[in-house]
């Protein structure tokens, strides 16, 4: 091993005890220029039951209180843990927060004078934003990006994003109106309410940063394009290389022309480590191996258990699906039979109607022939043609035609 692991707490603190190094990292990651950096204490008393909280690194830059905390392995409580750290980073400002004098006046009087007194209170307007950076070595919280940043914003923004209806093309006008309304809310600075969104909790994913950088370089070579230069990548790439147990001097050649990383190398090089440092590395390595073995065992047992449960669930789902399919088939068959019966019934009704219609036509024809016969007989009895027409309801022309045909 050429260099000690950058990500181990002891060596991270050793590196960041140098203000120039800490300043350079923050400038690279935050893409800002820092005028002055003030390193602050790492250990703080909080409550009677939680006497000490320890940050890996805390400082103040450009009107912000900053925490950087290194998280070497997987823990299930990172969200809650670092939210507490984030909140404490703000609360610790109470230690040095200046007070102001407030005059309180009562309606009651003593003689002709109102009762009033002055009281010293904390001037919370002097509280400054906090920035918490969590450096996750192996965990990515299921994100694919280099980092994810959280800050306090109005709930209506989340509701706006998740409102599926408003994003349809036909709702474009409403989309613009709602967006403009939200911008007004977000830009509101009344009584410094915008202070809330100046506070950030950022999770940085070392594994993702290195992987995404390598993928970007590969695309750059394949497509002959120049990718965006992300200054912070070098820190995470350097740190990852130090985690190799057999890392060598050749692994860090590209960094040796940089005075900053030259100093980091000097602080981590094997030759400069004390026996206590070496024992610490071995203890940390052994601890991580045990944690990894434990997690692997838990994962393996959990995986086997999940396979058993999955098979059981799959069997139950299949049985349920087969049952539902059979029921659906039976239902379909019944509906088919019912439809067939309805069809046959309709066919019979149709035939019956056609038969009735045909019988009616025959009856009509029979009645008409009887009228014709009556007209002929009445004519033979010398009844006037107009009277015949009146009785039979036949036209005079039709009667003349019938009598002519008979003659």
């Amino acid at each position: 091993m050429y260099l000690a692991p950058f990500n181990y707490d002891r060596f991270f603190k050793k590196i960041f005890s140098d203000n120039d190094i800490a300043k350079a990292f923050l400038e690279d990651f935050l893409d800002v220029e820092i005028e002055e950096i003030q390193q602050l204490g790492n250990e703080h008393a909080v409550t009677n039951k939680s006497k000490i909280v320890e940050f890996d690194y805390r400082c103040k830059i450009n009107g912000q209180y900053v925490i950087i905390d290194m998280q070497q392995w997987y823990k299930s409580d990172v969200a809650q843990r670092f939210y507490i750290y984030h909140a404490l980073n703000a609360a610790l400002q109470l230690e040095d927060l200046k007070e102001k004098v407030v005059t309180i006046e009562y309606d009651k009087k003593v003689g002709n004078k109102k009762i009033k007194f002055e009281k010293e209170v904390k001037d919370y307007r002097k509280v400054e934003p906090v920035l918490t950076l969590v450096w996750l070595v192996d965990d990515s919280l299921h994100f694919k990006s280099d980092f994810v940043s959280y800050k306090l914003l109005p709930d209506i923004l989340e509701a706006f994003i998740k409102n599926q209806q408003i994003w349809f093309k036909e709702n474009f006008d409403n989309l613009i109106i709602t967006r403009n309304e939200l911008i007004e809310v977000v830009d509101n600075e009344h009584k410094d309410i915008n202070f809330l969104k100046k506070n950030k909790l950022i999770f940085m994913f070392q594994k993702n940063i290195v992987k995404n950088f390598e993928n970007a370089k590969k695309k750059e070579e394949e497509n002959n394009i120049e990718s965006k230069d992300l200054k912070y990548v070098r820190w995470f790439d350097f740190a990852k290389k130090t985690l190799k147990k057999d890392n060598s001097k050749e692994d860090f050649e590209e960094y040796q022309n940089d005075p900053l990383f030259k100093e980091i190398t000097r602080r981590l090089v094997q030759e400069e480590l004390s026996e206590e440092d070496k024992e610490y590395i071995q203890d940390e390595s052994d601890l991580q191996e045990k944690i990894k073995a434990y997690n692997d065992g838990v994962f393996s047992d959990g995986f086997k258990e999940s396979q058993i449960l999955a098979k059981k669930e799959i069997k139950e789902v299949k049985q349920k699906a087969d049952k539902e399919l059979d029921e659906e088939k039976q239902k379909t068959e019944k509906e088919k039979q019912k439809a067939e019966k309805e069809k046959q019934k309709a066919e019979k009704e149709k035939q019956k109607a056609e038969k009735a219609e045909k019988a009616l036509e025959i009856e009509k024809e029979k009645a008409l022939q009887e009228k014709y016969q009556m007209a002929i007989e009445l004519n033979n009895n010398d009844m006037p043609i107009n009277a015949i027409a009146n009785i039979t309801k036949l036209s005079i022309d039709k009667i003349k035609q019938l009598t002519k045909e008979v003659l």
Side-chain angles (χ1 to χ4, degrees), residues 4 6 86 90 94 114 118 125 151 186 188 190 205 239 242 385-386:
F6 183 113
H86 187 60
L94 290 171
K114 285 187 175 181
E118 294 181 344
R125 292 175 302 175
K151 62 182 179 180
V186 173
N188 184 359
H190 185 63
F205 311 120
T242 65
I385 196 167
N386 288 335

Side-chain angles (χ1 to χ4, degrees), residues 51-110:
K51 293 183 179 179
I52 297 294
V53 62
E54 184 175 358
F55 305 125
D56 288 342
Y57 178 78
R58 185 170 181 251
C59 69
K60 185 179 180 183
I61 59 166
N62 300 356
Q64 275 186 316
Y65 284 85
V66 179
I67 288 174
I68 307 176
D69 213 274
M70 182 70 68
Q71 192 66 34
Q72 294 181 60
W73 50 72
Y74 173 84
K75 285 182 180 176
S76 60
D77 62 356
V78 289
Q80 294 85 350
R81 175 192 295 263
F82 292 110
Y83 176 76
I84 291 292
Y85 281 21
H86 187 60
L88 283 173
N89 196 14
L92 287 171
Q93 294 182 56
L94 290 171
E95 294 177 334
D96 303 312
L97 197 64
K98 292 182 179 180
E99 294 184 337
K100 63 180 179 178
V101 177
V102 177
T103 301
I104 301 174
E105 192 173 89
Y106 291 93
D107 291 335
K108 292 182 179 180
K109 293 182 179 180
V110 176

Side-chain angles (χ1 to χ4, degrees), residues 212-230:
N212 292 340
F213 174 71
E214 290 172 351
N215 290 339
K217 291 294 288 184
K218 187 176 179 182
K219 286 183 180 179
E220 182 181 333
E221 293 171 1
E222 291 174 353
N223 302 314
N224 196 26
I225 56 174
E226 188 174 345
S227 59
K228 185 179 179 182
D229 181 26
L230 300 173

Side-chain angles (χ1 to χ4, degrees), residues 23 27 32-38 60-63:
K23 179 174 176 285
E27 285 183 329
V32 296
E33 185 176 337
I34 298 172
E35 297 176 4
E36 183 182 355
I37 184 167
Q38 177 189 356
K60 185 179 180 183
I61 59 166
N62 300 356

